[in-house]
Amino acid sequence: MALAGKRNSSAKLRSAAFRRIRADHLTELAEDYVELIADLIDERGEARGTDIALRLGVANATVVKTLKRLQDAGLVSQEPYRAIFLTGDGWKMAEDGRRKHKIVEGFLLALGVGAETARIDSEGIEHHVSEETLKAMARFLARSG
Amino acid sequence: MALAGKRNSSAKLRSAAFRRIRADHLTELAEDYVELIADLIDERGEARGTDIALRLGVANATVVKTLKRLQDAGLVSQEPYRAIFLTGDGWKMAEDGRRKHKIVEGFLLALGVGAETARIDSEGIEHHVSEETLKAMARFLARSG
DNA sequence: ACTATAGTTTAGCCAATGCTAAATTTACCC
DNA sequence: GGGTAAATTTAGCATTGGCTAAACTATAGT
């Protein structure tokens, strides 16, 4: 083949980043769901499918299907036609998501980003920041706040 | 229903963020591909399926299938069994991705994050930062660097 | 207690993104 | 120029995450 050379040098290293992003995507939805369920329980005492669908902007049936997967994953528990609860693992994931979310959103605000943008962007970013980056953001936040 | 109250207050606003994230995911893969193809062309003069598969960490067949979609989307052009090229739109998207990537990665480095983490995290974050946040990052970068 | 309505679930569809295995094509080398 | 190895493509499959429409259940209100 033409151009055969020292290709592939650091390809494996590079691919690791993409692999992690794909893995992140699998847990991303789960994190969004449990975080939202935790919020709903705290706000109103219970989480219902309709509210989840409304806040996430998806159809009811989609929520049902996803919740089934989350139940299989041991994050959520639910009886048919009843409200939705988080398991111990579910709460753990929700708390971790909230922690990240708070740091990222606070950080963006401290950086001078507007409130609305900070809210939206942090929602997307929180699933892709490592602990090291979170630590750096927290440090910045402590120094500037 | 129990608990009927002033629910849904800002639900539509909240759901917008999640909608944007889902939309982002659709373009995310496309951006990763065109950026990588642009890099390969610059590095070695051509982009081949195998190299893309290797760097992205996916199977060859997956690359073929995705390239077909990108071709339909007008970002990539390719003859069967030949190397891969970017269209004008493809280059535009690649350049924009590189621009974002550079800002985010540079920003993380300036924030004190290690090189390896900065590289990995920026790969995940670049697709979820708004122009406003990019501007704030660039500002920080200019002040601190 | 009945009925209307709100909420939930099921069924069946689609597109995207991944995989493996088999077939095909290209290109290199002798 | 023909054989072989590498690259590419095709075929077929699975999962995720979305949708609509129809069926079912539970609750509230009269």
Side-chain angles (χ1 to χ4, degrees):
Chain A
M1 301 272 95
L3 288 178
K6 65 197 170 223
R7 54 167 45 104
N8 309 353
S9 24
S10 59
K12 211 190 283 178
L13 266 179
R14 289 175 184 282
S15 75
F18 291 108
R19 279 181 192 284
R20 214 205 62 188
I21 289 168
R22 283 198 303 277
D24 285 350
H25 281 164
L26 289 179
T27 49
E28 201 170 323
L29 236 217
E31 283 180 14
D32 284 342
Y33 268 76
V34 297
E35 227 177 307
L36 177 49
I37 291 168
D39 287 349
L40 287 168
I41 289 176
D42 286 353
E43 278 173 34
R44 346 195 200 276
E46 66 167 20
R48 300 182 321 154
T50 304
D51 294 320
I52 297 175
L54 194 68
R55 289 229 193 157
L56 250 29
V58 301
N60 253 282
T62 301
V63 170
V64 173
K65 205 182 282 191
T66 304
L67 285 177
K68 209 160 285 168
R69 277 199 304 277
L70 297 185
Q71 208 167 357
D72 290 347
L75 295 168
V76 146
S77 77
Q78 187 190 18
E79 303 290 315
Y81 294 97
R82 288 275 119 81
I84 296 137
F85 297 99
L86 292 177
T87 63
D89 282 355
W91 278 111
K92 219 182 299 173
M93 180 181 274
E95 292 300 346
D96 197 53
R98 284 166 158 179
R99 178 189 127 256
K100 289 184 191 173
H101 195 121
K102 202 183 297 178
I103 293 175
V104 174
E105 186 168 358
F107 172 78
L108 290 179
L109 289 170
L111 197 64
V113 171
E116 189 60 13
T117 302
R119 195 175 59 69
I120 294 176
D121 282 18
S122 64
E123 206 80 67
I125 294 174
E126 68 168 287
H127 305 289
H128 300 280
V129 284
S130 61
E131 282 302 323
E132 185 185 347
T133 297
L134 277 173
K135 226 170 267 168
M137 289 181 171
R139 211 159 43 226
F140 177 87
L141 209 44
R143 257 188 280 129
S144 77
Chain B
M1 302 274 98
L3 290 178
K6 63 194 169 216
R7 54 167 45 108
N8 310 353
S9 23
S10 60
K12 212 191 282 180
L13 266 179
R14 289 175 184 281
S15 75
F18 291 108
R19 279 182 193 285
R20 215 204 63 188
I21 289 169
R22 282 197 302 275
D24 285 350
H25 281 163
L26 289 180
T27 49
E28 201 171 324
L29 235 218
E31 283 180 14
D32 284 342
Y33 267 77
V34 295
E35 226 177 306
L36 177 50
I37 291 167
D39 288 348
L40 287 169
I41 290 174
D42 286 354
E43 280 172 34
R44 348 192 198 276
E46 68 169 17
R48 301 183 319 154
T50 303
D51 293 321
I52 297 175
L54 194 68
R55 287 230 193 155
L56 250 29
V58 301
N60 251 282
T62 301
V63 170
V64 173
K65 206 181 282 191
T66 304
L67 286 177
K68 209 160 284 166
R69 278 200 305 275
L70 297 185
Q71 207 166 357
D72 290 348
L75 296 167
V76 146
S77 78
Q78 187 190 19
E79 302 290 315
Y81 294 97
R82 287 274 120 79
I84 297 138
F85 298 99
L86 292 178
T87 64
D89 283 355
W91 278 111
K92 218 182 298 169
M93 180 181 274
E95 292 300 346
D96 198 52
R98 285 165 159 180
R99 177 189 128 254
K100 288 184 191 172
H101 196 120
K102 204 184 296 180
I103 293 175
V104 174
E105 186 168 356
F107 172 78
L108 290 178
L109 289 171
L111 197 64
V113 171
E116 190 58 15
T117 303
R119 195 177 58 71
I120 294 177
D121 282 17
S122 64
E123 206 81 66
I125 293 173
E126 67 168 288
H127 305 289
H128 300 280
V129 284
S130 61
E131 281 302 323
E132 185 185 346
T133 297
L134 277 172
K135 226 169 268 167
M137 288 180 172
R139 209 160 45 226
F140 178 86
L141 210 43
R143 256 186 282 128
S144 76

